[in-house]
Amino acid sequence: PLGEETPDHSSLTRIRDRLPLVIHEQVFQRVLSILDQHGLLKGTTTGVDSTMLEANAAMKTIIRKDTGEDWKAYLKRLMQEEGLITKDEHPTDEELRKFDKSRGKQGKKKVSNDEWASPSDPDSRIVKMKDGRTHLGYKAQHVVDLDSEAILSARVQHGTDGDAQTLLRSVVDAQRHLILAESDAEICEIAGDKGYHANEAITWCTRFGLRTYIPEPDSPHDRRWTDKPDETRSAVLNNRQRMSRKKGKQLQRERSEKVERSFAHVCDTGGARRSWLRGLEKINKRYLIVTAARNLGLVLLKAFGLSKPRNLSAAAAAALALWAACQTICTAYRRAQRVWKTF
């Protein structure tokens, strides 16, 4: 109830650990059903995109999978193999940093997910963030209704999963949420960027009756179809024709605007860009609740013209200030009338 206090952080953590992921999905679907009751769920045309999330683990804590060495022990062994130090010598941290820096200039400093892992968060992967930093992270993928901007699916996956590999999985997950929310909306069209263009992904979408609007990456060579089935050739060429039309270009503009806006609301304003939890299941639990709260903002936007509760309180404060100003003006006007009558 609104009259009770919000649970503490420790209570919310215990509740999240106790309740399974399926309960959090049901909360997400319940919010989608509320949107459907207010006529805010179309679901016919969707946009798909992904963004990187920073994991709650540091690169300096990674260890090798084969030997169990941390980064310092690994650098010490490399210095011994190159004859820079003996087995009995122990280099300082400054000497290790200089050696590591020289390896980077020579192009030998490479870190692979096949060889390295984080002991504190094994589900995280070594990825490159949007600002160019190499960090342990995850990938969040949104399927957004381009008509109402409602998030139909929000899956957090391994950071190394390719966009084309997870495209159909996320769309099927979005359609499952719509069905369990008892909505009549059915996804028919998908708009994505160049990263989602793959022959297999487009072919599978066509098999499921989905029309794709995915731009084709630039290539200096012509496409070869002699080694590919006719089904793949037909699906890719039909997608190319749809992208050359006016509707395809319009959907790309809407996708880049509305899907990126959902990331701005959830990850930047909502504070979900950095994960303070560890493990895919826990991160997915929290991310589902954050995206469900963002979807509730669409109901507030329709009901009050404001998408955030703090905007509602600010508007109420502004209305009270305006009312007080009007009262002051009226009082001053009556006083001026009395003064005028005396003359």
Side-chain angles (χ1 to χ4, degrees):
L2 296 178
E4 294 186 4
E5 295 183 357
T6 306
D8 295 332
H9 171 73
S10 58
S11 300
L12 292 175
T13 301
R14 293 190 184 95
I15 293 171
R16 182 180 57 247
D17 292 340
R18 186 175 70 250
L19 298 179
L21 180 61
V22 64
I23 299 297
H24 294 75
E25 290 181 346
Q26 291 176 0
V27 173
F28 183 82
Q29 294 157 9
R30 173 59 180 163
V31 174
L32 287 181
S33 66
I34 295 174
L35 265 68
D36 189 49
Q37 293 172 7
H38 288 79
L40 296 174
L41 214 55
K42 306 298 180 182
T44 304
T45 305
T46 59
V48 185
D49 206 350
S50 60
T51 188
M52 289 297 175
L53 307 180
E54 190 173 343
N56 188 21
M59 283 287 294
K60 62 182 180 181
T61 62
I62 58 176
I63 60 174
R64 287 189 64 87
K65 296 180 179 179
D66 51 355
T67 62
E69 298 173 316
D70 60 4
W71 190 253
K72 290 184 178 180
Y74 172 67
L75 291 177
K76 180 180 177 181
R77 179 167 61 85
L78 291 181
M79 293 179 70
Q80 293 174 356
E81 292 175 354
E82 293 187 9
L84 299 177
I85 59 173
T86 62
K87 291 185 178 180
D88 298 331
E89 290 183 300
H90 300 283
T92 62
D93 292 344
E94 182 65 25
E95 292 174 342
L96 290 175
R97 281 193 293 269
K98 288 182 178 180
F99 175 71
D100 194 21
K101 189 175 181 180
S102 64
R103 291 179 61 246
K105 292 180 180 179
Q106 298 172 5
K108 298 180 181 179
K109 186 179 179 180
K110 296 182 180 179
V111 184
S112 172
N113 284 290
D114 297 332
E115 299 175 351
W116 296 86
S118 172
S120 58
D121 191 0
D123 289 339
S124 62
R125 297 291 184 268
I126 303 171
V127 295
K128 181 171 288 188
M129 307 298 289
K130 284 195 171 184
D131 56 2
R133 294 180 299 121
T134 301
H135 207 280
L136 292 168
Y138 295 90
K139 184 182 78 171
Q141 195 165 57
H142 287 189
V143 180
V144 178
D145 185 352
L146 295 183
D147 292 323
S148 63
E149 299 190 36
I151 301 175
L152 306 180
S153 174
R155 295 173 59 92
V156 180
Q157 307 167 58
H158 294 298
T160 53
D161 292 347
D163 289 341
Q165 300 173 358
T166 59
L167 172 62
L168 188 61
R169 189 193 317 166
S170 296
V171 175
V172 171
D173 186 60
Q175 186 61 60
R176 180 176 65 89
H177 286 323
L178 290 174
I179 294 173
L180 294 178
E182 299 181 355
S183 173
D184 297 332
E186 183 178 356
I187 300 175
C188 300
E189 298 174 335
I190 308 171
D193 59 11
K194 293 181 180 180
Y196 291 93
H197 193 285
N199 293 343
E200 186 178 1
I202 295 177
T203 303
W204 275 104
C205 289
T206 305
R207 289 177 184 174
F208 279 84
L210 300 170
R211 294 190 298 275
T212 57
Y213 293 85
I214 303 175
E216 198 168 352
D218 298 331
S219 175
H221 307 288
D222 295 334
R223 300 293 299 270
R224 295 180 56 184
W225 303 108
T226 55
D227 57 342
K228 298 177 179 61
D230 294 338
E231 180 187 17
T232 300
R233 179 177 181 272
S234 176
V236 174
L237 292 181
N238 288 338
N239 174 77
R240 183 186 298 176
Q241 290 180 357
R242 285 191 292 267
M243 279 305 305
S244 63
R245 299 169 187 162
K246 183 178 179 180
K247 180 179 179 180
K249 296 180 175 59
Q250 177 64 27
L251 287 180
Q252 283 299 311
R253 287 191 292 268
E254 293 183 6
R255 179 204 61 81
S256 60
E257 173 190 349
K258 297 178 180 179
V259 181
E260 290 295 337
R261 184 182 296 159
S262 70
F263 289 133
H265 288 170
V266 174
C267 298
D268 299 333
T269 307
R273 178 69 66 183
R274 167 67 186 267
S275 175
W276 299 102
L277 303 175
R278 292 171 178 170
L280 268 177
E281 184 176 359
K282 288 185 178 181
I283 295 174
N284 269 300
K285 287 178 181 179
R286 184 181 185 275
Y287 202 81
L288 278 172
I289 299 302
V290 174
T291 50
R294 191 264 177 184
N295 284 340
L296 278 177
L298 299 177
V299 181
L300 292 173
L301 183 63
K302 180 180 180 181
F304 305 105
L306 300 167
S307 57
K308 300 177 183 178
R310 60 183 179 184
N311 290 346
L312 182 62
S313 61
L320 289 175
L322 180 61
W323 174 258
C326 290
Q327 291 292 329
T328 303
I329 293 173
C330 291
T331 303
Y333 178 73
R334 296 193 193 98
R335 186 176 300 170
Q337 276 188 327
R338 291 197 297 268
V339 172
W340 178 258
K341 288 181 179 179
T342 58
F343 287 97

